Amino acid sequence: MKPFSLLLGLGVLLSSPLLAYGRAAADKQVPGEPYTVGYSTRGLLINDVPRVLTTGAIHYPRSTPEMWDSLMKKAKLGGLNTIDTYVFWNIHEPTKGDYDFATDRANLPLFLRTARDNGLFVMLRIGPYVCSEWNFGGFPQWLRHEPDVVFRTYSKSFMDNMRRFIGKVVSVTRKYMPEYGGPIIGMQIENEYGDHQWEFGEDGNRYADWCGDTAQSFNISVPWIMCRQYYPVAGVIPTQNDFYCDQYLDRYHEQYPQFPDMWTEMWPGWFQRWGEAAPYRPIEDISYAVAKWFAYGGTYVSYYMYQGGTNFGRTSGPFILTSYDYDGFIDEYGLENWPKYLHLRELHRVLLDNAPFITGNPVPEPQPLGNRQETSARVYGNGDEYLAFLVNTAERSNITVVFDQVEIDLHRWSVTLVRKRRGERYPTILYNTATLSPDVRRAQAHPSGFETIGGVVETESIRELSIGIPRSSDMHVHATQPLEHISVTDDRTDYLWYRTTVSNPCSEAGQLVLKDAGDVAYAFIDDRALGMRHGRQDSLATFAFDVPKGFKNDTVTVSILSQTMGMAHNQQHMESYARGLLGSVTLCGRDITEGKWLMMPGLSSKSKDQEAPPAIDSVHWTSYRGKSGSHFRWYAIKLDADKLLADSDARFAVDLSSMSKGQLWINQHHLGRYWLRLAPSKQDYSPCQHCEYGGWFWPDSTCRQKCGEISQRYYHLPRSYLTAKSYLYVMEEISGRPENIAIAKRVSRLPKEEEEERGEWKDVLCRVVLAVCAAAALLGLGAAARMLYDQYAARRGYLRIEEEE
């Protein structure tokens, strides 16, 4: 057995990691060997045994395959035994009938094998609607063109395609089912449909029932779930998504007494849009919500997200950052977010060490603690041996209670986990959600950050390529008014050029007004730039550009570059989602909507790929002269990849703080959109002004961080995308200083040297105190010492769990 955790010279046996790993070794029969999966009211059953499942979402397309093994190992060390992921239809079937389950980040089978090889289960959430702040909610663009299609309701065209894709996923993943020793223990159909079902009336009800029937028709060996599903659907387990979910359980137990309590999305952070301050959720509140869930009967929790990752390319939803970090337990670069990671790891260990109490007993009734209605105890077990959750829901008041002969301080808005073993006189406090260990506090004082790497960007050899406004002869789409943006581009590019030539109505200064436009527009008259305007997510806007004096010709040419910033990911009737110039176009008061309009998808007619940069040796790039230049320029910047890759553990980012807005590539890989928008300043934005946990958390009202700073300055540069001859390609839409672009290293700030030194002192202290305890035992003082320590530890409200060796 490992040494006791010790305090003030007195020892007490805690939930030893060695015991935990001993239990884990027994459980390690699966995945890897054939097993069965079922469910009971007290949990998912693995080989007929109910299990406590600690789960975290890691989305395979949001990290590179080379990262997957490390991510899963860290997740397991963080106390997880299950990985959750959506299945993203639009990366697997970008063209109807043409599937890809093997290329780069679409390699779902490799992801499943990696989970299996790490001894982790997988909850596979097929959808195929996933929301996820992902472009078009995961739907492929071609689905919009299916005859008479209406998304997510009783529409034959939609349901036929949905069933066909789910069938393909089941076929691809069947070898990873339990009967083959695979990691999959459950599948999800649809996603949060309860939020929209009512909007479709009876067709919504029929579609929900069809989802249940369709799921069952595949005859697989694992349960199906539907998350946030308020209307009963036969054959599927309804599950919960929210910041807190214990409040749903009383009603759930009445309505679904046969099903386990599953929390499929516990939101420990939130996503971020361009121009927003960074969301943050206090770790005390996260652990409080999770502990309370298990206190009230939960057996399954999944963090959305455990590792958020990156929205590479054009995969983000409307105005969502390229970074999908989500303030997860592991950041988008694959490094631990130490405060959150450590604090919840300790809770996971306590829950897993004591899982038989949770799954082996019925959901406990609350027991009052004192005369305060905010405090209660939920006890799994009996008076001789139990695991108890002592809950204080008071938002501002610490409360002292007496529980099983021990006086215990319950911190406000906290849960204290208490364990009593058979034969012990007093219970032992295992964990308190509001008490942060020294390691966690130290990690908070040393946050992760970035360090610039010098000498790897060859600024003296930057090349540039001006794109310019295309000629009318290059615009081959003609119409009598502006066409809807996505119907022309088919979402193969963000960009669509519009052009018309009209008689000049501007005798004086005036305005060019685009009504009902979105998402972004750049306007030009006779190739003279008027500026850029942008809207907001999920809504159209009116864009007004000032037109100066000076246009004297009889006719003027109006050119507008329309840009989408990701397609809708969560709204009704997504099939009719529209962007571009949808309303009237007026110039100096004259309506010019009707007329001869020319259109061209993409930025340039010279590129076969409407998004990708021209290869460095394929067109005439010129040397960069140190001037920022006009709109729409490519910059090619050579990197010293050998120097970067010499650091075998480094995680890289591109610092684009010297640029404005555009697209970023490394070699042939599209890293994503960039936009250097500032978040509101602290004095101008209420959610930036306070962050004290206690009371219900909501990301739009509290705890916003990095106020007044650029929403996203650094952009993930995966190691695996670097080659011996590596070029950054930067397409700048406005202006910038490419010579100031830098490569930075993402660093974890857990002070390892201090940790190692402290570990040596702990080892010495541990040996001394063990000797003292042994001597005390010989003198018959062990029981008295233990009693004194128990009383102290109870009041202290926290006992630290030893780290693994």
Side-chain angles (χ1 to χ4, degrees):
M1 183 175 291
K2 295 182 73 173
F4 296 161
S5 286
L6 298 158
L7 188 62
L8 299 182
L10 296 176
V12 59
L13 179 62
L14 295 176
S15 301
S16 168
L18 195 59
L19 297 178
Y21 288 126
R23 188 203 62 256
D27 292 341
K28 182 58 181 68
Q29 300 171 56
V30 289
E33 301 173 4
Y35 60 101
T36 61
V37 180
Y39 63 84
S40 73
T41 188
R42 295 308 299 137
L44 290 182
L45 304 175
I46 307 297
N47 284 339
D48 297 323
V49 177
R51 293 285 294 271
V52 165
L53 295 171
T54 49
T55 308
I58 298 175
H59 293 163
Y60 54 96
R62 284 178 158 140
S63 52
T64 63
E66 292 74 15
M67 296 172 65
W68 294 343
D69 184 65
S70 172
L71 292 175
M72 292 189 190
K73 282 180 167 56
K74 290 179 179 182
K76 191 169 184 178
L77 286 172
L80 300 192
N81 53 26
T82 307
I83 298 298
D84 167 299
T85 186
Y86 283 130
V87 177
F88 298 80
W89 191 354
N90 51 14
I91 70 164
H92 292 301
E93 194 182 6
T95 303
K96 186 175 180 179
D98 186 8
Y99 298 103
D100 179 8
F101 286 91
T103 303
D104 195 31
R105 293 176 287 107
N107 197 337
L108 176 58
L110 176 60
F111 185 82
L112 295 173
R113 289 196 298 273
T114 305
R116 180 197 63 197
D117 293 347
N118 280 284
L120 291 164
F121 297 116
V122 171
M123 178 61 70
L124 195 66
R125 303 172 67 193
I126 299 176
Y129 167 71
V130 299
C131 183
S132 194
E133 295 73 57
W134 186 267
N135 192 52
F136 216 27
F139 289 135
Q141 190 56 223
W142 56 260
L143 191 60
R144 301 171 75 237
H145 307 306
E146 293 294 285
D148 303 317
V149 71
V150 183
F151 289 5
R152 305 183 71 200
T153 189
Y154 202 80
S155 162
K156 184 178 186 304
S157 180
F158 176 75
M159 294 187 300
D160 286 349
N161 281 289
M162 175 173 164
R163 179 184 174 85
R164 178 181 53 78
F165 178 70
I166 293 175
K168 180 65 175 180
V169 175
V170 169
S171 174
V172 168
T173 61
R174 190 172 290 278
K175 68 172 69 174
Y176 302 101
M177 296 291 182
E179 60 269 32
Y180 302 105
I184 298 173
I185 57 171
M187 287 189 169
Q188 177 178 300
I189 190 168
E190 248 297 335
N191 187 58
E192 297 184 331
Y193 191 59
D195 292 339
H196 294 279
Q197 182 173 338
W198 62 274
E199 297 171 334
F200 294 103
E202 185 55 34
D203 276 351
N205 298 338
R206 293 172 67 197
Y207 169 69
D209 289 335
W210 174 86
C211 286
D213 293 341
T214 298
Q216 293 303 308
S217 71
F218 290 109
N219 295 316
I220 61 175
S221 58
V222 298
W224 285 88
I225 64 172
M226 289 181 73
C227 68
R228 217 172 171 97
Q229 179 57 41
Y230 314 130
Y231 169 97
V233 174
V236 300
I237 302 172
T239 67
Q240 320 294 333
N241 294 359
D242 213 327
F243 289 103
Y244 311 87
C245 279
D246 58 274
Q247 69 274 16
Y248 302 128
L249 287 180
D250 285 345
R251 181 180 177 186
Y252 181 85
H253 293 155
E254 293 178 4
Q255 191 172 6
Y256 303 107
Q258 74 276 30
F259 289 141
D261 303 332
M262 298 179 65
W263 190 357
T264 34
E265 289 189 20
M266 190 287 166
W267 301 328
W270 202 237
F271 60 90
Q272 185 179 3
R273 293 186 174 96
W274 305 108
E276 289 185 343
Y280 168 76
R281 186 175 182 184
I283 57 178
E284 300 94 332
D285 188 62
I286 299 168
S287 56
Y288 167 78
V290 173
K292 199 177 177 194
W293 167 257
F294 282 94
Y296 285 46
T299 58
Y300 177 105
V301 66
S302 181
Y303 300 98
Y304 185 99
M305 302 288 296
Y306 196 77
Q307 190 260 349
T310 306
N311 291 320
F312 292 109
R314 301 173 53 254
T315 59
S316 62
F319 291 91
I320 304 295
L321 296 189
T322 295
S323 171
Y324 197 66
D325 186 81
Y326 221 88
D327 193 33
F329 299 79
I330 303 173
D331 68 22
E332 69 171 309
Y333 301 89
L335 299 177
E336 295 89 344
N337 180 352
W338 285 113
K340 187 172 290 188
Y341 183 87
L342 293 174
H343 190 52
L344 272 295
R345 181 180 72 174
E346 295 173 6
L347 176 59
H348 300 154
R349 287 177 170 175
V350 171
L351 293 171
L352 294 174
D353 284 349
N354 294 280
F357 284 102
I358 298 171
T359 59
N361 287 284
V363 177
E365 294 294 326
Q367 301 176 16
L369 291 174
N371 57 3
R372 297 286 296 269
Q373 64 177 4
E374 299 97 333
T375 59
S376 64
R378 309 269 176 152
V379 182
Y380 291 95
N382 53 50
D384 294 331
E385 191 170 22
Y386 59 75
L387 176 69
F389 294 77
L390 311 184
V391 181
N392 180 7
T393 61
E395 297 179 11
R396 294 290 177 263
S397 301
N398 299 340
I399 300 173
T400 300
V401 301
V402 175
F403 177 76
D404 198 3
Q405 307 177 69
V406 177
E407 193 176 64
I408 301 177
D409 293 333
L410 300 184
H411 197 278
R412 64 182 178 87
W413 200 254
S414 74
V415 179
T416 300
L417 281 72
V418 177
R419 165 72 186 269
K420 186 176 183 179
R421 292 179 174 82
R422 193 177 304 276
E424 292 184 336
R425 183 175 178 182
Y426 297 107
T428 298
I429 291 181
L430 303 178
Y431 182 87
N432 176 264
T433 60
T435 305
L436 306 184
S437 72
D439 284 344
V440 172
R441 292 196 299 271
R442 187 174 295 105
Q444 287 180 324
H446 298 82
S448 298
F450 294 92
E451 294 177 353
T452 300
I453 304 172
V456 295
V457 178
E458 299 185 9
T459 56
E460 70 282 356
S461 60
I462 296 175
R463 312 294 294 278
E464 66 178 331
L465 181 66
S466 178
I467 297 173
I469 300 173
R471 298 171 299 179
S472 296
S473 59
D474 293 326
M475 296 182 165
H476 303 303
V477 180
H478 298 184
T480 58
Q481 63 183 23
L483 299 179
E484 189 274 324
H485 181 123
I486 302 167
S487 65
V488 180
T489 66
D490 208 26
D491 199 36
R492 298 177 187 276
T493 173
D494 283 352
Y495 304 103
L496 176 66
W497 282 102
Y498 295 92
R499 171 174 285 186
T500 188
T501 299
V502 298
S503 60
N504 186 0
C506 302
S507 57
E508 299 292 335
Q511 283 193 323
L512 172 66
V513 179
L514 315 177
K515 189 175 181 181
D516 292 336
D519 293 318
V520 176
Y522 295 87
F524 305 82
I525 293 182
D526 289 345
D527 295 353
R528 181 175 173 180
L530 302 183
M532 181 269 275
R533 301 290 185 270
H534 63 84
R536 300 178 66 239
Q537 67 280 0
D538 300 333
S539 63
L540 299 172
T542 295
F543 298 154
F545 300 86
D546 292 331
V547 179
K549 293 181 180 180
F551 294 101
K552 302 298 184 182
N553 295 335
D554 292 339
T555 62
V556 291
T557 297
V558 177
S559 301
I560 299 165
L561 179 65
S562 172
Q563 181 185 14
T564 54
M565 293 294 292
M567 291 184 60
H569 61 94
N570 184 21
Q571 67 179 49
Q572 190 184 19
H573 292 302
M574 291 169 61
E575 71 281 352
S576 59
Y577 183 78
R579 283 298 180 265
L581 307 186
L582 304 181
S584 62
V585 180
T586 60
L587 177 62
C588 295
R590 181 194 297 173
D591 190 330
I592 62 171
T593 312
E594 299 290 335
K596 182 180 180 181
W597 283 86
L598 309 177
M599 282 149 280
M600 185 193 80
L603 274 175
S604 171
S605 62
K606 299 177 182 179
S607 176
K608 294 181 180 179
D609 187 322
Q610 295 170 346
E611 287 286 328
I616 194 67
D617 53 358
S618 63
V619 296
H620 183 62
W621 293 75
T622 61
S623 296
Y624 172 62
R625 301 295 185 182
K627 296 181 180 180
S628 59
S630 61
H631 290 72
F632 317 125
R633 286 177 179 267
W634 281 107
Y635 297 102
I637 306 170
K638 190 175 182 182
L639 302 180
D640 187 342
D642 290 339
K643 184 173 180 179
L644 286 172
L645 294 175
D647 187 342
S648 60
D649 295 324
R651 316 298 171 94
F652 304 118
V654 184
D655 180 354
L656 291 177
S657 56
S658 64
M659 307 303 288
S660 297
K661 183 177 181 299
Q663 311 275 343
L664 178 66
W665 291 66
I666 179 69
N667 302 322
Q668 75 275 25
H669 299 283
H670 191 181
L671 298 181
R673 304 179 183 98
Y674 70 86
W675 196 356
L676 283 300
R677 283 190 69 187
L678 288 174
S681 63
K682 185 173 182 178
Q683 59 267 27
D684 295 333
Y685 190 51
S686 170
C688 289
Q689 295 168 9
H690 52 86
C691 184
E692 184 179 2
Y693 87 95
W696 284 53
F697 171 83
W698 182 250
D700 292 338
S701 61
T702 188
C703 286
R704 290 285 176 156
Q705 309 287 309
K706 300 183 179 179
C707 306
E709 299 181 21
I710 296 170
S711 290
Q712 185 176 353
R713 171 179 173 176
Y714 296 94
Y715 294 79
H716 186 195
L717 175 61
R719 295 177 59 89
S720 57
Y721 289 173
L722 292 169
T723 60
K725 185 180 179 182
S726 286
Y727 279 90
L728 277 179
Y729 293 98
V730 183
M731 201 293 293
E732 174 57 52
E733 298 171 11
I734 304 174
S735 64
R737 304 293 298 189
E739 67 272 27
N740 293 330
I741 291 174
I743 304 299
K745 176 181 177 180
R746 179 67 168 175
V747 289
S748 168
R749 294 296 186 183
L750 188 66
K752 294 182 179 180
E753 295 80 5
E754 187 177 343
E755 181 78 9
E756 291 168 0
E757 181 179 340
R758 189 165 50 83
E760 294 174 1
W761 280 106
K762 283 167 55 180
D763 185 59
V764 172
L765 180 62
C766 196
R767 293 173 184 273
V768 171
V769 176
L770 280 174
V772 172
C773 288
L778 291 175
L779 296 173
L781 300 177
R786 174 63 183 272
M787 182 182 69
L788 290 172
Y789 180 79
D790 282 343
Q791 291 176 347
Y792 171 80
R795 292 300 302 269
R796 182 170 178 254
Y798 172 78
L799 291 176
R800 188 178 183 282
I801 298 175
E802 283 284 303
E803 296 181 13
E804 72 275 13
E805 290 182 343

